[in-house]
């Protein structure tokens, strides 16, 4: 039986996945543990940001065979809908140099030549979702100028957690996957759009995660 540790930043995102199943454990991550399609699935609510995501993944991944993230994200030019996250990077990890912030792969020395900054996900088993690179950082992007800077990294989506989960997976030698659905366009309207679209997008991502789990 494969143990899949599934993380969601917010309760709305976690609750959308196999709703009404499993009892929540006491503790900081309110995890539910259920059996689905021959897999042992833990669904944890990690909280917002890279530290919360990494802490949750590290604390609960002891017997996990893979890490999986569900939830919502902002768009950097991507159309509305759910996406298979093929690559993740941390946009706030790097080196401040005169007139320039250089991004490095999170956890590596931010000195010298900067190589490829992203972490690659496991192979898509054939869900048919569009693929995306996501930029993760500890800031909610609600600024067109900031969004344009992140888009220049080749990212079409932005969030606050996936890059950290990808780094933990790399450190632990585990495969990882993420499916995220768009709530907003990372602009002046993002705060309102995020709240208005949170539940809808969370359910969209959860539906695709449930399909993924049935395929692996």
């Amino acid at each position: 039986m494969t143990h899949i540790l599934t993380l969601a930043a917010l309760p709305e995102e976690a609750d959308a996945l196999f709703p009404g199943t499993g009892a929540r454990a006491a503790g900081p991550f309110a995890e539910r543990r259920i059996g689905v399609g021959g897999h042992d699935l833990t669904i944890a609510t990690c909280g917002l940001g890279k530290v919360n995501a990494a802490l949750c993944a590290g604390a609960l991944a002891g017997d996990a065979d893979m890490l999986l993230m569900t939830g919502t994200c902002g768009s950097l030019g991507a159309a509305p809908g759910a996406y298979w996250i093929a690559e993740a990077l941390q946009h706030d990890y790097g080196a401040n140099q005169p007139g320039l912030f250089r991004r490095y792969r999170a956890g590596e020395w931010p000195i010298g030549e900067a190589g490829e900054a992203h972490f690659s996900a496991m192979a898509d088993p054939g869900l048919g979702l569009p693929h995306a690179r996501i930029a993760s950082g500890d800031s909610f992007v609600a600024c067109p100028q900031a969004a344009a800077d992140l888009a220049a990294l080749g990212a079409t989506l932005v969030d606050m957690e996936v890059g950290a989960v990808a780094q933990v997976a790399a450190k632990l030698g585990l495969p990882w996957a993420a499916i995220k659905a768009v709530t907003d366009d990372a602009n002046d309207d993002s705060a309102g759009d995020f709240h208005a679209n949170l539940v809808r997008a969370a359910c969209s991502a959860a539906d695709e995660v449930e399909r993924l789990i049935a395929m692996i």
Side-chain angles (χ1 to χ4, degrees), residues 65 83 112 136:
D65 297 301
Y83 288 83
S136 303

XYZ file of all heavy atoms in Angstrom, residues 65 83 112 136:
30
model
N 5.464 7.622 0.949
C 6.115 7.197 -0.287
C 6.152 8.316 -1.317
O 6.922 8.248 -2.275
C 5.377 5.995 -0.880
C 5.422 4.787 0.044
O 6.535 4.331 0.360
O 4.345 4.324 0.465
N -4.224 22.980 -12.883
C -2.963 22.730 -13.566
C -2.173 21.630 -12.868
O -2.162 21.547 -11.633
C -2.098 24.000 -13.594
C -2.630 25.040 -14.542
C -3.652 25.904 -14.152
C -2.125 25.161 -15.835
C -4.161 26.849 -15.025
C -2.617 26.116 -16.706
C -3.634 26.951 -16.299
O -4.130 27.885 -17.163
N 28.030 32.620 -6.795
C 28.588 32.139 -8.051
C 27.543 32.068 -9.139
O 26.498 32.734 -9.084
N 6.967 29.980 -5.976
C 6.483 30.027 -4.596
C 7.325 30.998 -3.776
O 8.542 31.064 -3.947
C 6.563 28.636 -3.949
O 5.838 27.686 -4.669
